[in-house]
Amino acid sequence: MTKTNEHKWVYLFAEGSGDAKNLLGGKGAGLCEMTRAGLPVPPGFIVTTEACNAFYQNGKNFPDGMWEQVVAGLRRLEAQTGKGFGDPANPLLVSVRSGAPFSMPGMMDTVLNLGLNEQTVQGLAAQTGDLRFALDAYRRFASLFGEIVMGVAHEKFERVLERYKAQTEGGRDTDLSPAQLREVIAAEKQIILAEQRGAAIPEDPYEQLRVAIAAVFNSWMGRRAVDYRRVNRIPDNLGTAVNVQAMVFGNMGATSGTGVAFTRDPSTGEKTLYGEYLLNAQGEDVVAGIRTPHQISQLQAELPEVYEQFNSITQLLEQHYRDMQDVEFTIERGRLWMLQTRTGKRTGAAAVCVAVDMVHEGLIDRATAIQRVTPEQLDQLLHPTVDPNAEAIVLATGLPASPGAAQGQVVFDPDEAEELAQQGMKVVLMRQETSPDDFHGMVAAQAIVTARGGMTSHAAVVARGMGKSCVSGASALNIDYSQQQCNVNGSVVTKGEWVTVDGSTGRVFLGRVPTVQPTLGDDFRELMSWADEFRRLRVRANADTPHDAQVARDFGAEGVGLCRTEHMFFGDERLAAMREMILADGVGAREKALERLLPLQRKDFVGIFRAMAGLPVTIRLLDPPLHEFLPNLEELLGELSELKMTLQRAEKISEMDKLLDQIAEKRRLLQQVQRIHEQNPMLGHRGCRLGIIYPEVTRMQTRAIFEAACQVAGEGESVQPEIMVPLVSTDEELRRQSELIREVAKQVLGEHGMTISYTVGTMIELPRAALTANKIAAHADFFSFGTNDLTQTTFGLSRDDSGRFLSKYVEDKILPDDPFQVLDPDGVGELVRTGTERGRAVKPDLKVGICGEHGGEPRSIAFCNEIGLDYVSCSPFRVPVARLAAAQASLAAGKAVEADK
């Protein structure tokens, strides 16, 4: 088909290979493979993805030689079918379909019955002896060509068809008479003329084909395709192929039909033929729901020989590809034709079931099974999800901060959320943003929605830790606390209205949308056991309470990689004691308040040590700035003003005295808040700086840790405490804190007459710490990279505020990903690599991990595996995902090594 030295833009199905998906697209490669296997496939050819890319590089013009090769391909189709393209007496009609290297169902365009005009439609009628069929094919072509190629809205054609169907007795498209079909065609053409200002469907079939191929190329950069690729991380430079295939017709009567089927149930993974079909129809009828299709099993009764042949072919295809297949087929007057086979999309439950079953069936090995299930699919199993078949109204869209789906009545106040939850009501807490003061309301809520904040905001981190659904940064929400309502693009949602939160997609729906509850069965456990065999990275969990720790263990965590002690101070009693400590005038008063906190912290540590049953527990000393535990400065000023106004209205002396006392207390609190107020608290007095200025805080926390360790060890259980000093920027900071920790540990262990092995390390979350890791390592037993803060300090971004523009940065490809969601390998990742290498240059056996939110993100985990970290730590509900991703990273690294040999 090509001249010597001419670039090959077009491949016949018989020339292509199933291995050439990047060149021929997934659909084209499948057609080639089925053709080579001798299956009944209508003949055709493929215009390659290279031609698509050249089309864009050439100012949306076909590359030299491509069109000539397309015409040569048509000549071969004419020879194979005995028909002529554009021949008025014996016309060859073709379909023109997109076919990207990766499956993108419904994202690009298809034109059927191409080649019809006023002359060839008469030839088709004579050729088949069926005028009604020919006219039905023509009206389908006109509407598809008008929509796909000429940009006319589909609804305009649909309204015409519905109007004429309403005039028939049965109300179906199959009830339209030839005369009515002629009127439909005329109306469709008139719509196109009106919309295109006089432009009409070309009568020349070759011109139809030329502009249809260009339309498919153009659809590669259509918004829906671009959005789909962005969501599914498919590169823009792959291009789409175009499949030109001789038409076979499912709309030729009762022995003709069309359908779509899967070789296994794509929802459950059950090994049964699953699909739908329609008799006397074309492909878009099934997909578009124009008529209600039948279950594929019913075909056995209607066309038994065709069903048996089809069933045999689908089994053959699954055996050949060793994976569940998604197939399209057409039956033309009792003859079966295969139009597509590709790897079938499936739910998380189905993915796990199919992978495990195929190992047991001997189709694939365990390594392949691990690679077949994506981390996103596995995540579906761990959280309820919104029923994908449910009709729902999207109220707002934000960041998918914590996966899962939940329903509840909207509340805007955390106290009210707690009160209503205690009454048995389900609530969704909706806030501008959350703070530690809101924690009780977050615990009570089914889900959390915030108007501000990113993927690692307070709401997001806490929600993930609790396994609660959360959408953060839903900036369209304009929350009015005074009116107890929020405005969203002109709509008003008031307190008490029901909403459904889908934290897996970042969407908030109006009303109670049905959800699907996941179940973790034997297939899940078996797949996880295989993943553990292949992975090198250990997987720990971020757990702040005994409950979190137990959940983490149940999901297979191999220890706690981050216990944030500040989260133990949430709750009324603890928060009050914490505030007393912060507001204390001197060391004595501060130590007295700390004495109240010590038994509370010790109790939590005891529970975590017990839950971990001898596995390592990394406990981070107090990290956040102290103002986070105090009332908001602006809120205090407002409350003080309200009290003064109330005092002015007071009439009774007793009431005045009470108000004066309240005002005095508010003023005292306000003075203390102002005293410790910082302009940039995240870079202020926090982390190890608190422990150095207030060593009594470090002493109390260390004592609580070791008293708990001694108590659990005294019960006969093994414990492995790892004390982590946060926000270190110099080696001297760590040296001083380490000496204090070891001094208190020695004292407590001496009091109990016990010996417990422990380690002291640091959290590397500042660029300077990573660059001077060789000095810091001299005083550290381990490093844990806090990639949330390291990302902030490397980029100079606030993780809570940058959500306003980061999505635009990603959309415009200034950044490939949100760096708070996916570890930035070139900047932040390079600091992690450098810090690890420099630390291990001093201490070769230095244990190194990460404990930021990136510890549960698959691509970030692959990077951690690549640079040789020992473990990752993530929220409890991400542990299975991290185990799978770590296994996949090890397998990918092994393949890369083999490829280099």
Side-chain angles (χ1 to χ4, degrees):
M1 286 181 60
T2 57
K3 301 175 183 177
T4 306
N5 298 326
E6 184 181 21
H7 189 86
K8 190 171 180 61
W9 302 111
V10 174
Y11 287 76
L12 296 172
F13 290 169
E15 295 177 316
S17 165
D19 298 327
K21 285 186 178 181
N22 284 344
L23 178 67
L24 306 177
K27 188 187 298 286
L31 288 166
C32 291
E33 196 76 357
M34 288 194 294
T35 299
R36 290 158 69 101
L39 298 182
V41 177
F45 58 85
I46 303 156
V47 186
T48 66
T49 58
E50 291 179 345
C52 178
N53 287 326
F55 172 80
Y56 282 102
Q57 294 162 6
N58 200 29
K60 293 192 175 182
N61 293 302
F62 293 156
D64 290 343
M66 190 204 89
W67 180 247
E68 290 75 12
Q69 293 180 31
V70 168
V71 174
L74 284 171
R75 297 287 88 83
R76 294 293 294 270
L77 288 192
E78 289 173 332
Q80 289 174 289
T81 61
K83 302 174 183 178
F85 191 63
D87 184 342
N90 187 26
L92 167 66
L93 305 184
V94 297
S95 62
V96 179
R97 301 173 188 263
S98 62
F102 290 90
S103 177
M104 296 172 58
M107 293 302 110
M108 292 181 295
D109 296 327
T110 296
V111 178
L112 302 179
N113 307 325
L114 189 140
L116 281 172
N117 57 27
E118 290 297 334
Q119 288 73 46
T120 55
V121 72
Q122 299 301 325
L124 181 63
Q127 184 187 77
T128 60
D130 190 338
L131 176 61
R132 191 208 168 279
F133 153 72
L135 291 170
D136 184 55
Y138 196 14
R139 69 94 183 162
R140 292 170 183 273
F141 165 68
S143 64
L144 277 173
F145 194 93
E147 176 190 354
I148 302 304
V149 180
M150 306 188 79
V152 179
H154 170 75
E155 292 77 15
K156 294 181 182 294
F157 300 121
E158 193 63 29
R159 282 198 293 269
V160 170
L161 185 62
E162 289 300 321
R163 186 167 71 245
Y164 279 91
K165 282 164 57 177
Q167 298 173 15
T168 67
E169 187 175 337
R172 298 170 299 181
D173 59 312
T174 52
D175 296 320
L176 294 171
S177 68
Q180 288 174 313
L181 286 168
R182 287 188 187 279
E183 292 180 20
V184 170
I185 294 165
E188 289 174 338
K189 288 185 174 183
Q190 190 60 40
I191 289 171
I192 293 169
L193 282 171
E195 290 284 319
Q196 296 296 311
R197 298 181 180 178
I201 298 174
E203 285 291 295
D204 180 2
Y206 287 90
E207 181 63 12
Q208 292 175 5
L209 180 59
R210 188 189 67 78
V211 295
I213 292 173
V216 172
F217 283 165
N218 281 320
S219 72
W220 174 251
M221 294 307 294
R223 179 175 179 179
R224 57 184 171 169
V226 171
D227 288 347
Y228 184 90
R229 291 198 298 275
R230 185 176 68 249
V231 170
N232 291 278
R233 303 190 187 108
I234 298 172
D236 287 335
N237 61 359
L238 295 178
T240 182
V242 181
N243 301 283
V244 180
Q245 190 173 24
M247 281 295 303
V248 288
F249 301 98
N251 56 331
M252 296 185 73
T255 59
S256 300
T258 187
V260 177
F262 295 82
T263 55
R264 304 192 185 211
D265 188 322
S267 294
T268 66
E270 181 185 357
K271 190 177 182 181
T272 182
L273 190 59
Y274 178 98
E276 297 174 325
Y277 75 99
L278 278 171
L279 294 182
N280 198 17
Q282 284 198 314
E284 74 269 20
D285 295 344
V286 176
V287 178
I290 292 172
R291 282 188 274 148
T292 303
H294 306 299
Q295 293 298 312
I296 195 71
S297 57
Q298 192 173 328
L299 185 62
Q300 188 170 18
E302 293 195 292
L303 297 171
E305 292 182 5
V306 171
Y307 177 84
E308 291 304 324
Q309 183 189 10
F310 177 68
N311 191 35
S312 297
I313 288 174
T314 57
Q315 291 181 35
L316 178 67
L317 289 170
E318 184 175 275
Q319 290 285 326
H320 176 76
Y321 286 102
R322 299 175 184 271
D323 201 355
M324 185 184 86
Q325 294 298 290
D326 168 7
V327 298
E328 292 181 12
F329 64 95
T330 285
I331 307 161
E332 183 180 278
R333 291 179 170 172
R335 185 176 180 183
L336 175 67
W337 295 96
M338 302 300 296
L339 304 182
Q340 171 182 283
T341 188
R342 63 184 177 190
T343 300
K345 299 285 186 182
R346 63 205 77 178
T347 65
V352 172
C353 177
V354 170
V356 172
D357 283 353
M358 286 190 170
V359 170
H360 293 315
E361 293 164 20
L363 285 174
I364 59 175
D365 58 21
R366 292 181 175 185
T368 302
I370 292 300
Q371 293 165 309
R372 284 276 173 87
V373 181
T374 68
E376 292 78 13
Q377 288 172 326
L378 192 69
D379 194 40
Q380 290 179 24
L381 271 68
L382 308 176
H383 302 272
T385 56
V386 168
D387 187 343
N389 299 316
E391 294 184 5
I393 299 172
V394 177
L395 174 68
T397 302
L399 296 170
S402 184
Q407 305 164 335
Q409 292 174 273
V410 172
V411 294
F412 300 94
D413 183 86
D415 294 333
E416 189 170 19
E418 184 176 53
E419 181 181 335
L420 294 176
Q422 288 172 351
Q423 297 172 15
M425 296 176 62
K426 292 184 176 182
V427 297
V428 169
L429 180 62
M430 197 172 283
R431 303 282 288 167
Q432 287 284 4
E433 57 193 357
T434 62
S435 71
D437 277 343
D438 299 331
F439 184 75
H440 58 294
M442 298 171 73
V443 171
Q446 300 296 309
I448 301 105
V449 178
T450 66
R452 293 198 291 263
M455 290 291 288
T456 53
S457 64
H458 175 266
V461 171
V462 173
R464 279 194 291 270
M466 293 190 293
K468 288 184 182 290
S469 177
C470 176
V471 172
S472 63
S475 56
L477 297 176
N478 184 9
I479 297 175
D480 186 342
Y481 290 132
S482 63
Q483 297 297 316
Q484 292 289 284
Q485 65 183 34
C486 74
N487 298 288
V488 192
N489 299 321
S491 299
V492 177
V493 175
T494 58
K495 183 180 73 174
E497 287 195 49
W498 281 86
V499 296
T500 299
V501 179
D502 186 354
S504 301
T505 64
R507 294 179 296 173
V508 183
F509 300 92
L510 279 174
R512 285 180 272 194
V513 180
T515 59
V516 181
Q517 288 291 336
T519 54
L520 302 179
D522 294 338
D523 289 341
F524 169 82
R525 286 183 282 274
E526 189 163 16
L527 186 78
M528 286 291 95
S529 70
W530 298 342
D532 293 339
E533 293 174 12
F534 289 105
R535 65 184 168 89
R536 182 194 62 79
L537 276 172
R538 302 293 91 191
V539 177
R540 299 189 186 185
N542 304 337
D544 309 325
T545 66
H547 175 264
D548 291 346
Q550 189 58 56
V551 171
R553 282 291 291 129
D554 293 342
F555 279 132
E558 296 162 299
V560 172
L562 175 62
C563 175
R564 293 160 288 210
T565 53
E566 64 270 13
H567 284 191
M568 297 176 176
F569 299 131
F570 299 157
D572 292 343
E573 179 187 1
R574 298 176 181 217
L575 195 56
M578 188 66 180
R579 286 177 175 174
E580 181 184 335
M581 185 275 292
I582 295 168
L583 300 174
D585 292 330
V587 174
R590 193 156 37 248
E591 287 180 338
K592 184 178 179 181
L594 288 169
E595 286 177 7
R596 288 179 57 197
L597 287 171
L598 190 148
L600 300 174
Q601 288 237 290
R602 180 177 60 224
K603 180 181 178 182
D604 284 338
F605 293 140
V606 166
I608 291 172
F609 286 141
R610 285 173 177 163
M612 282 296 106
L615 293 172
V617 177
T618 303
I619 301 169
R620 182 180 72 185
L621 300 182
L622 190 63
D623 180 47
L626 296 179
H627 83 277
E628 288 198 6
F629 300 97
L630 297 178
N632 181 274
L633 180 61
E634 286 75 18
E635 289 180 3
L636 272 177
L637 289 169
E639 291 169 4
L640 187 58
S641 296
E642 287 182 15
L643 284 171
K644 289 178 179 178
M645 292 172 64
T646 305
L647 178 63
Q648 291 174 356
R649 296 191 299 268
E651 297 177 356
K652 297 180 179 179
I653 298 296
S654 59
E655 184 182 359
M656 291 181 183
D657 289 342
K658 182 178 179 181
L659 286 168
L660 285 170
D661 289 342
Q662 291 177 347
I663 288 172
E665 178 61 25
K666 284 290 182 192
R667 279 177 173 160
R668 189 183 76 84
L669 184 57
L670 179 62
Q671 288 173 353
Q672 295 285 17
V673 170
Q674 289 173 328
R675 177 177 61 83
I676 67 170
H677 177 72
E678 296 176 294
Q679 294 299 323
N680 194 348
M682 296 310 292
L683 296 179
H685 192 198
R686 55 170 288 217
C688 69
R689 300 159 192 169
L690 285 171
I692 288 171
I693 302 302
Y694 303 134
E696 55 272 20
V697 175
T698 299
R699 285 197 187 96
M700 182 279 290
Q701 291 201 290
T702 303
R703 173 166 283 277
I705 291 168
F706 282 96
E707 285 183 357
C710 288
Q711 179 178 332
V712 175
E715 298 168 357
E717 297 287 342
S718 176
V719 290
Q720 287 191 59
E722 299 179 343
I723 296 88
M724 182 160 67
V725 180
L727 210 74
V728 162
S729 59
T730 73
D731 57 313
E732 183 64 15
E733 287 174 321
L734 181 59
R735 186 191 69 77
R736 294 189 182 196
Q737 285 286 280
S738 179
E739 282 186 358
L740 181 56
I741 291 165
R742 295 182 190 280
E743 173 193 318
V744 174
K746 182 179 179 181
Q747 182 180 354
V748 174
L749 292 174
E751 292 170 1
H752 289 77
M754 302 182 76
T755 300
I756 291 176
S757 178
Y758 68 92
T759 57
V760 179
T762 186
M763 198 170 188
I764 305 290
E765 46 196 328
L766 297 172
R768 190 184 192 280
L771 295 173
T772 61
N774 53 324
K775 294 182 179 180
I776 292 173
H779 311 290
D781 298 318
F782 65 88
F783 283 172
S784 181
F785 284 90
T787 52
N788 294 345
D789 274 346
L790 188 58
T791 298
Q792 285 198 112
T793 53
T794 300
F795 275 94
L797 289 173
S798 163
R799 65 187 179 191
D800 289 328
D801 298 322
S802 57
R804 300 173 185 174
F805 61 85
L806 271 181
S807 58
K808 181 66 173 174
Y809 266 49
V810 174
E811 182 180 334
D812 290 349
K813 297 183 172 55
I814 297 171
L815 290 173
D817 298 285
D818 182 335
F820 292 110
Q821 296 183 35
V822 181
L823 186 68
D824 159 46
D826 298 328
V828 179
E830 192 58 30
L831 285 171
V832 176
R833 186 196 303 269
T834 299
T836 301
E837 291 173 350
R838 292 184 180 181
R840 285 177 174 166
V842 175
K843 287 186 176 177
D845 60 346
L846 185 72
K847 182 164 61 179
V848 183
I850 71 165
C851 59
E853 288 299 305
H854 301 104
E857 197 283 316
R859 284 182 287 166
S860 306
I861 291 170
F863 178 81
C864 293
N865 186 75
E866 175 192 328
I867 65 173
L869 299 194
D870 296 300
Y871 69 89
V872 296
S873 186
C874 57
S875 64
F877 286 88
R878 293 292 288 180
V879 166
V881 173
R883 289 163 66 191
L884 178 68
Q888 291 175 339
S890 292
L891 289 167
K895 287 183 178 179
V897 170
E898 288 297 320
D900 289 339
K901 290 182 180 178

